[in-house]
């Protein structure tokens, strides 16, 4: 029987594909204050600025490809039951071939109702030719279409789903996340005691835990290659 492998991925997973990270120097937060483009208050104040910000991020997806890290994670499905829990809003895990991806912070390629963001009737997947959303484009309930993104100050509905998979993990792999953003960083506390934990990151990461962790001090692409060598005979 295949073991359950859960991957928690963050911005470092997609950085090698050319997706701008938010927190690094020169990242997106340096160009746009978080309060303006990633909070409900910022959206209420200037919806057009926020809509255009995510239009630009969506267009960036057209110019990037999954990297070897994404492809390596997808390839692990041959030997394991793989669940990817990602803090990233891009679709690179799916494009690489991962079939079970939980997006904690929303999905860039989707839009939803401003009034009722998690109502499935009003969540829409955008085709690439629809990536430009305009002020005045309405959801099925008549409210403005907004990005399907979990903003700062909003609840993270998918965290409960993620916890259910993490609690059954035989192997838990952390890739490219600072482990400073909650509730995602707290998922490590739900990993069973007997499970193996791996951390892939070129920089030191404080897991805020005293449990043993196999550290692979590399970027996503080389780190996932090393992980596969360790896990797959």
């Amino acid at each position: 029987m295949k073991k359950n492998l859960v991957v928690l991925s963050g911005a470092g997973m997609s950085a090698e594909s050319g997706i701008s990270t938010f927190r690094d120097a020169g990242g997106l937060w340096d160009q746009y204050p978080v309060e303006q483009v990633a909070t409900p208050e910022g959206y209420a104040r200037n919806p057009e600025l926020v809509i255009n910000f995510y239009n630009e991020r969506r267009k960036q997806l057209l110019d990037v490809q999954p990297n070897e890290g994404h492809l390596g994670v997808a390839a692990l499905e041959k030997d394991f039951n793989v669940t990817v829990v990602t803090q990233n809003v891009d679709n690179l895990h799916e494009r690489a071939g991962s079939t079970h991806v939980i997006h904690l912070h929303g999905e860039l390629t989707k839009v939803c109702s401003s009034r009722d963001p998690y109502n499935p009737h009003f969540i829409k997947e955008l085709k690439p030719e629809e990536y430009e959303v305009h002020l005045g484009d309405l959801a099925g309930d008549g409210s403005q279409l907004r990005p399907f993104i979990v903003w700062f100050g909003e609840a993270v509905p998918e965290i409960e789903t993620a916890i259910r998979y993490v609690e059954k993990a035989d192997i838990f792999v952390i890739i490219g996340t600072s482990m400073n953003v909650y509730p995602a960083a707290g998922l490590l506390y739900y990993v069973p005691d007997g499970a193996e934990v791996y951390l892939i990151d070129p920089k030191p990461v404080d897991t805020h835990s005293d449990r043993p962790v196999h550290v692979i001090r590399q970027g996503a692409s080389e780190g996932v290659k090393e992980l596969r060598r360790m896990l797959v005979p």
Side-chain angles (χ1 to χ4, degrees):
M1 207 159 101
K2 289 182 178 179
K3 288 184 174 180
N4 296 326
L5 188 153
V6 178
V7 173
L8 172 63
S9 71
M13 184 86 224
S14 295
E16 290 175 36
S17 292
I19 297 273
S20 297
T21 60
F22 275 105
R23 284 177 174 72
D24 288 343
L28 287 167
W29 290 150
D30 284 356
Q31 301 162 47
Y32 297 91
V34 58
E35 299 80 14
Q36 281 185 9
V37 295
T39 62
E41 295 78 14
Y43 179 63
R45 223 172 10 248
N46 193 340
E48 190 166 21
L49 172 74
V50 175
I51 288 167
N52 287 335
F53 172 78
Y54 289 96
N55 284 342
E56 291 307 311
R57 293 201 63 202
R58 243 178 250 118
K59 287 180 204 163
Q60 189 186 21
L61 292 181
L62 300 172
D63 299 325
V64 299
Q65 298 296 327
N67 60 54
E68 290 295 324
H70 294 107
L71 296 168
V73 166
L76 285 167
E77 292 190 11
K78 292 193 202 83
D79 299 284
F80 301 95
N81 296 319
V82 179
T83 298
V84 177
V85 179
T86 187
Q87 295 167 270
N88 299 334
V89 296
D90 61 60
N91 58 0
L92 294 177
H93 278 297
E94 288 90 342
R95 284 165 58 188
S98 287
T99 58
H100 188 212
V101 184
I102 299 167
H103 284 269
L104 291 181
H105 297 160
E107 297 178 66
L108 197 49
T109 57
K110 292 181 179 177
V111 285
C112 59
S113 156
S114 288
R115 191 177 301 132
D116 192 4
Y118 298 104
N119 187 325
H121 297 297
F122 307 130
I123 297 170
K124 178 185 177 187
E125 174 88 39
L126 299 174
K127 300 184 182 77
E129 61 270 20
E130 301 172 317
Y131 278 0
E132 185 91 29
V133 176
H134 302 95
L135 204 57
D137 292 347
L138 303 181
D141 63 355
S143 69
Q144 171 66 41
L145 280 175
R146 65 159 260 187
F148 185 59
I149 301 291
V150 177
W151 286 325
F152 289 94
E154 293 185 318
V156 180
E158 285 296 298
I159 194 68
E160 297 300 329
T161 309
I163 287 169
R164 286 202 301 273
Y165 283 95
V166 171
E167 286 177 334
K168 295 177 186 158
D170 300 300
I171 301 165
F172 186 69
V173 183
I174 302 161
I175 308 176
T177 172
S178 65
M179 297 298 281
N180 284 325
V181 177
Y182 286 84
L187 287 173
L188 182 58
Y189 301 125
Y190 294 92
V191 177
D193 288 342
E196 292 181 86
V197 177
Y198 294 82
L199 187 149
I200 298 171
D201 203 292
K203 294 182 285 201
V205 174
D206 183 356
T207 61
H208 312 287
S209 164
D210 55 5
R211 70 178 296 152
V213 176
H214 304 279
V215 177
I216 301 173
R217 190 66 74 78
Q218 292 176 315
S221 293
E222 289 305 314
V224 171
K225 277 183 198 164
E226 179 64 24
L227 176 74
R228 289 175 65 200
R229 281 195 288 269
M230 294 165 81
L231 295 182
V232 183

